[in-house]
Amino acid sequence: MASPKQHSPRVPTPGRRDRKAQDALWLAKLREDGVANHIPTPPEPPTELVKGIEEFNQTLFFECHETLENLWRVTPYPLRLFYQGLIKAAVGFLHITRHNRRGAVGLLSGALVALEPFPPQFMGVDNQELKRSVSVWLEAVSAGTTWDELLSSPFPKMVFHSSEE
């Protein structure tokens, strides 16, 4: 008689609620301790980050989201929060192009929360300028600025400085 097929035990993956709780814990830890205590030397910007920034700057917000999400998935905490902030900014602007005010407000707000603890210049990204731009757009979207007005304005750019410059 053949032995019953053995199955490996399933390892539960964190659900969305668990990830949100983990995100919140890491954000609090970064605010309290500072990013430098958890990422003393930020890594060189990966090619996916550079590609995502180029896509963002070409207003290819969906493509930027996809590129950066692939990077985010394989990146451990706390660095993944930085990528998450960039992704939320891209998707927030995607919602603007689709006239989804609620989605834009939620994601642009979330981008600011995720990017807040990171230094003004991080991994080549001018985080300070990005947060300023996202704040300006968030205020305009929240204030009910018309879609025609919003979409006639140039979208912000992610300013990136490679270490070779």
Side-chain angles (χ1 to χ4, degrees):
M1 182 163 153
S3 63
K5 188 175 179 180
Q6 292 200 337
H7 295 283
S8 301
R10 286 190 52 149
V11 177
T13 56
R16 186 165 188 235
R17 197 170 289 163
D18 294 336
R19 270 196 320 267
K20 282 188 169 199
Q22 184 118 14
D23 291 350
L25 287 171
W26 269 105
L27 285 168
K29 189 178 286 224
L30 291 175
R31 281 187 207 103
E32 186 177 315
D33 302 343
V35 171
N37 287 320
H38 295 280
I39 310 173
T41 306
E44 284 297 310
T47 55
E48 296 93 337
L49 175 59
V50 176
K51 180 181 179 197
I53 290 169
E54 289 169 354
E55 290 166 339
F56 184 96
N57 290 343
Q58 295 169 21
T59 67
L60 300 171
F61 300 123
F62 180 81
E63 292 81 354
C64 172
H65 153 264
E66 290 292 308
T67 297
L68 294 178
E69 188 172 62
N70 289 332
L71 181 59
W72 169 82
R73 287 176 201 252
V74 298
T75 302
Y77 284 99
L79 185 55
R80 74 184 287 138
L81 293 170
F82 181 69
Y83 297 142
Q84 184 182 65
L86 300 178
I87 292 165
K88 287 183 175 194
V91 179
F93 286 106
L94 178 64
H95 281 297
I96 290 171
T97 67
R98 294 179 175 176
H99 298 196
N100 178 351
R101 196 171 301 275
R102 184 175 178 194
V105 167
L107 283 154
L108 294 177
S109 297
L112 291 173
V113 169
L115 294 171
E116 182 266 324
F118 291 91
Q121 302 291 320
F122 189 74
M123 292 183 63
V125 176
D126 187 338
N127 190 38
Q128 182 173 335
E129 176 58 24
L130 179 59
K131 291 186 299 184
R132 188 201 64 73
S133 297
V134 168
S135 294
V136 167
W137 278 79
L138 175 59
E139 188 176 314
V141 172
S142 298
T145 304
T146 68
W147 294 117
D148 288 341
E149 269 186 276
L150 288 168
L151 296 173
S152 67
S153 300
F155 284 105
K157 305 284 187 204
M158 279 191 200
V159 178
F160 179 75
H161 304 284
S162 71
S163 59
E164 298 167 5
E165 291 179 355

